[in-house]
Amino acid sequence: MAPRHQKGGDGGEVDLEGDIEAPLLSSGSSFFQDAAHEDGEGDEEQRRRRRRFLLAGCSQSNTTSQVALVGADVCPIESLDYEYGALQLAPPPPIRGDPLARSLARFHLAFDSMGAVLLWSCRLIENDVFKQDWRARGRAHILRYVAIKWALCFLVGALAAAAGFVANLGVENVAGAKFVVTSNLMLAGRYGSAFAVFLVSNFGLTMFAAVLTVYVSPAAAGSGIPEVKAYLNGVDAPNIFSLKTLLVKLVGCIAAVSSSLHVGKAGPLVHTGACIASILGQGGSSKYHMTCKWLRYFKNDRDRRDLVTCGAGAGIAAAFRAPVGGVLFALETVSSWWRSALLWRAFFTTAMVAVVLRALIDFCKSDRCGLFGKGGLIMFDVTSDYITYHLVDLPPVITLGVFGGILGSFYNFFLDKVLRLYNLINEKGKTYKLLLAAVVTICTSCCLFGLPWIASCKPCPSDTEEACPSIGRSGNFKKFQCAMNEYNDLASLFFNTNDDTIRNLYSAGTDDEFHISSILVFFVASYFLGIFSYGLALPSGLFVPVILTGAAYGRLVGMLIGFQSTLDHGLFAVLGSAALLGGSMRMTVSLCVVILELTNNLLMLPLVMLVLLISKTVADAFNADVYDLLVKLKGFPYLEGHVEPYMRQLSVSDVVTGPLQTFSGIEKVGHIVHVLRTTGHNGFPVVDEPPFLHSPVLYGLILRAHLLVLLRNKDFFQNCTASAQDASKHFSPDDFAKRGSGKHDRIEEIEFSAEEMEMFVDLHPFTNTSPYTVVETMSLAKAHVLFRQVGLRHLLVLPKSSERAPVVGILTRHDFMPQHILGLHPFLFKTRWKKVRFGKSALSNLF
C-alpha cells in the first residue's frame, strides 16, 4: 500500500502581516486537513501551543492540527458533506427490472413545499445498502418526511420565539430592577451607595455570565454568528449546537446584556435559534436523555443545514420581531446555499416566530411580566406616522451615508485589533479570561455612572406627554443628580437598557431634548465601549451596539447639519443606525427590511436604501465586513462564493500533494485499523486491483464513519474473496446515519483480537460507487466552483493518462484555501492577478 495522502504538505509561509483579514489561526499549507476530531490532542499544553497562532498578523504555519477558535476556546474542526442529503428519505419510482428504471435509481424523488412539488435531485451516496433501502420505501415514507419537515419548522419558530421572549423578559426585569434601585438611591441623595449598587450588580452579572461560559460551555462565547456561518458553509466543530451551549447562551446573554456592557442579544439569539434547530433535527440530546424517536429523521448534513438556516433566520425574527428581515438575513448573511423550497420553509418558520411573540407580548400587557412591556418591547414603533422629504434633504443623507461607511470600516478595524489583543490575554488560561471580563465591566460601569455628571441639567419640557423626570421606570427623562423639575439628558442615554436608549434616540418630536455635547459624549463612549465589550468570554452580540451607536451618530449629524434639512432628528437617528450597520456589516436588503420592521414605518424605505448603498460602497473600499472578518480571525476555513483570479492560472494537479492512501475492495482488517489510527482523513478511494481485475480500477469512495461501523460490527471473513452475503441483511441505513453535530466515533474505542486483525472485510457494498471526480488538468477555478456549489467534502482527481494509477489525489476544502495555494506557489504574490485580490489600495493604506 502507498503511504497516506499528505493533504497539507509542508508548503511555505504566507506573508499576511498588515492584512486585517489574516486569520488568527494562520495555518500555512496545513491550514485544513480534512480530519476527524482528534480529542487525544486536547491536553492543556498543546491547546496553549495552538492558541499561540492566534497572533496579530501571524505568518507562521500551523502544523499541529485542524483547529479554529470556536466561541472562547480552540477546538478541532472538520468539514461537512452537503452533497449527501436525504440519503434514505424518499424512494425512487418502483424498480422492476427495467434498465432505465434502474439507472433512475441514482436519482432522489423528494416532495418539497407542501408536498405538491416533485423534485428530482441526483448525486446521493450510491452504495448497495442505501440502494436496497430506497427500493423498500413507499409513498407513506415520503408523506411522513414532508410532514415532519414542516412540523420541525413550526417547532423551531415557536421555540425561537419563546427564547427571544425569555431573553427580553429577563433583561428588562434584571436590568430594570438594577436601574430602579440605583435611581431610588440617587433620588435620596445617596450617590456613593448608588454607585456601589450599580458597580457590584454589573460586576456580579458579568462574572456570572463569564464563569458560566468559561467553565460550562466555551462555545457559547461571542455572538455565535461566525460559527453558524461557518457551519452553513460546511465546517463543523464540537458543541457549537449542543444543549449545554443553548442553555449557557440564553442565560449568559441575559446576564451580559443586563450588566450594562455594550453588547446585544440579536447575535446570541441567532445562535440560539440555530442550536434549537440542530437539536430538533438530530432528535434531541442523547447525552441528557432528552430524545424523541420520531424527531430523529434528518440523519444527514443537508437536511440539518436547511433546518439550521431556518433557525438562524428565526433568531433575527425573535430579536427584532422582523420575520421578513429574518429570512433575508439568513439568505444574505449566513447561508452559502439557497433554493426556493428553503425560502418557503424559512418564511414559515419566521412567521411562527411573529405569531408566538405577539401572543406572548399580549399576555404581558396586563402587568403579568414584571417590568417587561413598560419600556422594553421588541419593536421600536416610535417614528412619525407621516414622513415627508424633499430634494434638499438628500445632501445631509448622503453625508450621513459616506461618514457612516468610514466609521463602520474603522469600527471593524479597531475591533480586529482589540480581538487580537484579547486573544493574547485569553490564551494564558481561564483565570485571565475572567480577569479581562472583570476589568472591562468595572471600566464600563465607571464610565456609565461617571460621564452623566459632566452634563448639565435641563428643564423638563412643558409639552411632553411623558412624566418628567422619569422615576422608577424607563423613559427619556432621567433625574440623576438634578432637581425635581429637571432631567439629565446624558443619564437618560446611559442609565437605560439598550432597547430603551434606542427608543429615546429614535423618538420623533424630541429635537430639543438632547444637547449636542451629550450626544457627542454618548456617541464616542458607545463607539468604543461596543468595541471593547465584544470579545469577552461571554455571550455577546454586535447588532444592537452598532444600532445604538449609529443612532447617536445620526442624531449628531442631524444636530450639526440638520438645519439644512426638513427631517426630524429621530429620523436622522434611524438613518444613522442604517449607515453604521451598512458600514460595519455590509448587508443591504436584509438590513433595510429589518430597520423598516423595527420602526414600523415603510415611508423611510427610499432614504434607508440610499444610506445603506452609500455606506456599504464606501466601507468596501477599506476592509471586509465584520462577520467575514470574524470568520477569518477565528480560523474557519470558509469557502468564498467567488473564485480568486490566480486560481485560473493553476490546474488541479498543481495543488494536490501526495502520495495517496487507498484501500482495496477486499481489505485486511489490520491494515484498515492501522490507517484509521495513523491518519485523520474522512474519505478513502477504493481501488480494485489484480488478481480480481487485469488492471487497477477505481471502484469508489468509502467514508471513515462507514469503516468504523463495519469494524464495530465485525462482519469479517477469513479469506480474501468477495463476500456472497447480502449486506442489507446485516446492516441497515440507520447504522450509517449521520450523528449529531460534533459527535464522532473513534477507532480507539473499538477493540480487536489478533485473529480479527488478520481477517478481511468486503468494502464493495458500502462504497459510494459514483463520487464526484475531476481530471487533473482541470483549472483550479473550475474545480472550486464545482466543489462549493455542490457542497462537497471530497473531490477525486483522476489522471489524464490511463497508464497511471486510477486516482492520483483527493481535493478537500484545505486545497482551496489561499494560504495553502500561495504557500505552494509563492510566485503568485508577485503577479498582477494576485494584486487584484490581495493588493492594498490607497484607501486601505489609511489603516
Side-chain angles (χ1 to χ4, degrees):
M1 278 297 168
R4 58 162 290 193
H5 182 47
Q6 303 292 340
K7 294 304 300 175
D10 49 5
E13 296 185 356
V14 183
D15 183 13
L16 299 172
E17 186 174 356
D19 182 2
I20 71 164
E21 296 187 19
L24 285 175
L25 285 170
S26 183
S27 51
S29 61
S30 58
F31 177 76
F32 194 92
Q33 301 179 17
D34 192 5
H37 300 313
E38 300 175 6
D39 298 334
E41 299 183 1
D43 57 84
E44 187 65 25
E45 181 59 29
Q46 192 163 27
R47 296 166 74 88
R48 290 188 179 184
R49 286 202 304 270
R50 291 171 181 171
R51 293 197 69 109
R52 292 192 184 105
F53 289 99
L54 304 173
L55 303 173
C58 175
S59 61
Q60 304 173 24
S61 296
N62 177 13
T63 58
T64 58
S65 180
Q66 173 197 340
V67 294
L69 186 61
V70 180
D73 206 2
V74 177
C75 298
I77 56 176
E78 72 166 47
S79 184
L80 295 168
D81 201 337
Y82 289 147
E83 174 206 2
Y84 303 140
L87 300 183
Q88 75 266 26
L89 298 180
I95 300 171
R96 294 292 186 268
D98 184 5
L100 177 61
R102 285 199 301 269
S103 67
L104 289 177
R106 301 181 60 191
F107 293 87
H108 171 60
L109 180 63
F111 281 98
D112 223 322
S113 297
M114 291 302 295
V117 179
L118 294 177
L119 177 67
W120 291 99
S121 64
C122 64
R123 297 305 308 143
L124 304 179
I125 184 167
E126 296 168 356
N127 61 37
D128 294 343
V129 175
F130 284 109
K131 288 178 182 178
Q132 289 291 337
D133 184 64
W134 296 341
R135 295 183 178 96
R137 300 291 178 171
R139 182 168 295 273
H141 185 82
I142 302 176
L143 297 177
R144 187 163 64 248
Y145 165 60
V146 174
I148 291 178
K149 181 164 59 176
W150 286 92
L152 287 177
C153 289
F154 171 80
L155 289 175
V156 169
L159 293 177
F165 175 77
V166 169
N168 281 277
L169 180 69
V171 169
E172 289 299 320
N173 281 282
V174 175
K178 176 187 68 179
F179 286 124
V180 167
V181 173
T182 305
S183 298
N184 289 339
L185 292 173
M186 295 285 291
L187 186 64
R190 301 170 58 187
Y191 302 126
S193 299
F195 174 67
V197 169
F198 185 70
L199 177 64
V200 171
S201 58
N202 288 343
F203 181 83
L205 289 168
T206 301
M207 297 312 296
F208 172 74
V211 169
L212 201 61
T213 303
V214 170
Y215 288 99
V216 179
S217 179
S223 68
I225 292 180
E227 285 79 2
V228 174
K229 186 171 182 177
Y231 177 85
L232 295 179
N233 189 258
V235 181
D236 192 16
N239 298 320
I240 56 172
F241 296 137
S242 66
L243 180 62
K244 182 170 58 176
T245 300
L246 169 63
L247 297 176
V248 172
K249 197 80 176 185
L250 187 58
V251 176
C253 172
I254 295 174
V257 176
S258 301
S259 69
S260 294
L261 287 175
H262 268 54
V263 297
K265 52 185 179 290
L269 285 177
V270 171
H271 194 184
T272 298
C275 288
I276 292 172
S278 178
I279 292 172
L280 289 177
Q282 65 192 36
S285 176
S286 57
K287 180 179 179 180
Y288 299 101
H289 306 288
M290 300 174 62
T291 58
C292 183
K293 186 175 182 180
W294 70 272
L295 282 178
R296 285 183 286 183
Y297 213 84
F298 293 173
K299 299 177 181 179
N300 59 87
D301 289 331
R302 189 161 64 184
D303 274 329
R304 288 176 184 170
R305 174 197 68 188
D306 291 349
L307 203 58
V308 168
T309 303
C310 294
I316 287 293
F320 300 117
R321 240 174 71 197
V324 180
V327 175
L328 294 176
F329 172 82
L331 168 62
E332 185 178 7
T333 305
V334 296
S335 66
S336 297
W337 293 275
W338 195 267
R339 62 185 190 279
S340 59
L342 181 57
L343 178 67
W344 278 102
R345 292 202 297 276
F347 185 71
F348 174 75
T349 304
T350 57
M352 292 301 101
V353 173
V355 171
V356 174
L357 272 181
R358 169 51 64 188
L360 293 174
I361 291 175
D362 289 343
F363 173 80
C364 288
K365 285 186 175 179
S366 56
D367 294 336
R368 285 179 285 188
C369 298
L371 297 174
F372 180 75
K374 298 182 179 179
L377 294 179
I378 305 171
M379 182 178 287
F380 308 120
D381 187 6
V382 290
T383 53
S384 302
D385 294 331
Y386 183 71
I387 297 174
T388 59
Y389 40 86
H390 308 86
L391 190 62
V392 69
D393 299 320
L394 290 183
V397 171
I398 293 174
T399 303
L400 191 72
V402 171
F403 286 97
I406 295 174
L407 288 171
S409 60
F410 269 99
Y411 191 94
N412 294 357
F413 172 76
F414 290 131
L415 183 63
D416 167 80
K417 299 304 179 184
V418 169
L419 289 178
R420 293 181 185 273
L421 174 63
Y422 281 3
N423 185 76
L424 293 174
I425 299 173
N426 290 337
E427 66 109 10
K428 296 180 182 297
K430 296 179 179 179
T431 303
Y432 284 86
K433 294 178 183 179
L434 300 179
L435 287 176
L436 178 61
V439 170
V440 172
T441 188
I442 291 173
C443 294
T444 300
S445 298
C446 292
C447 289
L448 298 185
F449 193 89
L451 287 176
W453 291 89
I454 67 176
S456 58
C457 297
K458 299 188 66 174
C460 291
S462 57
D463 56 345
T464 181
E465 297 180 358
E466 186 177 345
C468 180
S470 304
I471 300 176
R473 61 183 297 275
S474 60
N476 280 16
F477 309 103
K478 289 292 183 180
K479 180 179 178 297
F480 208 65
Q481 87 285 11
C482 300
M484 274 308 298
N485 293 322
E486 296 179 334
Y487 71 98
N488 187 315
D489 58 345
L490 192 53
S492 300
L493 300 174
F494 279 129
F495 258 61
N496 261 324
T497 62
N498 290 337
D499 287 2
D500 290 333
T501 302
I502 294 172
R503 183 175 294 100
N504 293 346
L505 292 170
Y506 280 6
S507 296
T510 59
D511 290 4
D512 299 325
E513 291 184 5
F514 300 99
H515 193 273
I516 187 171
S517 61
S518 298
I519 293 294
L520 177 61
V521 170
F522 179 76
F523 165 68
V524 174
S526 178
Y527 189 90
F528 288 102
L529 286 177
I531 292 173
F532 285 102
S533 297
Y534 190 82
L536 302 179
L538 45 77
S540 56
L542 284 171
F543 246 105
V544 173
V546 174
I547 291 175
L548 179 62
T549 305
Y553 159 68
R555 276 266 180 177
L556 183 62
V557 172
M559 291 178 175
L560 292 175
I561 62 175
F563 62 90
Q564 302 176 359
S565 171
T566 61
L567 300 180
D568 185 89
H569 288 182
L571 181 55
F572 267 107
V574 176
L575 297 178
S577 294
L580 200 59
L581 283 169
S584 176
M585 300 182 180
R586 316 291 162 82
M587 293 179 282
T588 53
V589 179
S590 57
L591 273 181
C592 183
V593 174
V594 166
I595 290 174
L596 295 180
E597 291 182 293
L598 193 67
T599 57
N600 199 27
N601 200 318
L602 192 61
L603 296 173
M604 297 187 300
L605 177 61
L607 294 179
V608 174
M609 291 174 62
L610 179 63
V611 165
L612 283 172
L613 289 172
I614 293 174
S615 62
K616 180 187 182 329
T617 303
V618 171
D620 280 340
F622 291 89
N623 51 28
D625 72 83
V626 68
Y627 291 126
D628 281 347
L629 175 66
L630 291 174
V631 167
K632 291 182 174 66
L633 287 176
K634 287 176 172 290
F636 288 115
Y638 188 86
L639 275 180
E640 299 287 353
H642 62 270
V643 174
E644 300 289 358
Y646 58 80
M647 289 185 180
R648 303 188 184 279
Q649 301 183 70
L650 303 174
S651 64
V652 167
S653 60
D654 293 327
V655 298
V656 171
T657 55
L660 177 69
Q661 172 67 66
T662 63
F663 287 132
S664 297
I666 300 176
E667 188 59 79
K668 191 175 183 179
V669 173
H671 179 68
I672 297 176
V673 173
H674 171 73
V675 170
L676 294 183
R677 285 177 176 173
T678 56
T679 69
H681 303 316
N682 179 264
F684 302 91
V686 176
V687 177
D688 281 333
E689 299 175 333
F692 301 101
L693 296 174
H694 295 293
S695 60
V697 175
L698 174 66
Y699 187 81
L701 181 77
I702 191 165
L703 302 181
R704 182 188 190 91
H706 293 183
L707 288 172
L708 291 174
V709 173
L710 297 180
L711 296 177
R712 189 187 305 107
N713 285 270
K714 299 187 177 182
D715 189 20
F716 309 146
F717 48 91
Q718 295 287 345
N719 301 320
C720 183
T721 56
S723 174
Q725 299 178 351
D726 186 358
S728 61
K729 296 180 179 179
H730 297 80
F731 298 90
S732 70
D734 289 338
D735 295 330
F736 300 94
K738 174 74 176 183
R739 298 186 64 184
S741 176
K743 300 176 181 178
H744 303 275
D745 293 326
R746 299 182 60 193
I747 185 63
E748 291 79 10
E749 298 172 354
I750 307 175
E751 297 181 355
F752 302 92
S753 65
E755 181 182 0
E756 289 172 338
M757 295 289 277
E758 298 298 323
M759 299 177 73
F760 295 86
V761 60
D762 188 357
L763 302 182
H764 292 102
F766 314 98
T767 300
N768 178 17
T769 56
S770 55
Y772 275 92
T773 61
V774 295
V775 182
E776 60 181 340
T777 55
M778 176 183 284
S779 72
L780 188 61
K782 198 171 182 180
H784 178 281
V785 173
L786 174 64
F787 194 93
R788 189 183 188 278
Q789 291 300 323
V790 181
L792 299 177
R793 181 171 187 174
H794 306 99
L795 186 59
L796 300 186
V797 181
L798 306 184
K800 188 71 173 178
S801 172
S802 59
E803 297 178 355
R804 298 170 58 191
V807 56
V808 297
I810 302 179
L811 286 176
T812 63
R813 181 177 294 259
H814 153 72
D815 296 299
F816 296 100
M817 292 296 106
Q819 291 84 352
H820 170 63
I821 299 171
L822 297 175
L824 293 175
H825 305 284
F827 71 91
L828 292 173
F829 276 101
K830 301 177 182 179
T831 66
R832 63 188 181 94
W833 299 106
K834 167 68 177 55
K835 294 178 182 178
V836 170
R837 181 65 182 167
F838 290 88
K840 294 186 178 181
S841 65
L843 288 176
S844 64
N845 283 331
L846 291 175
F847 291 97

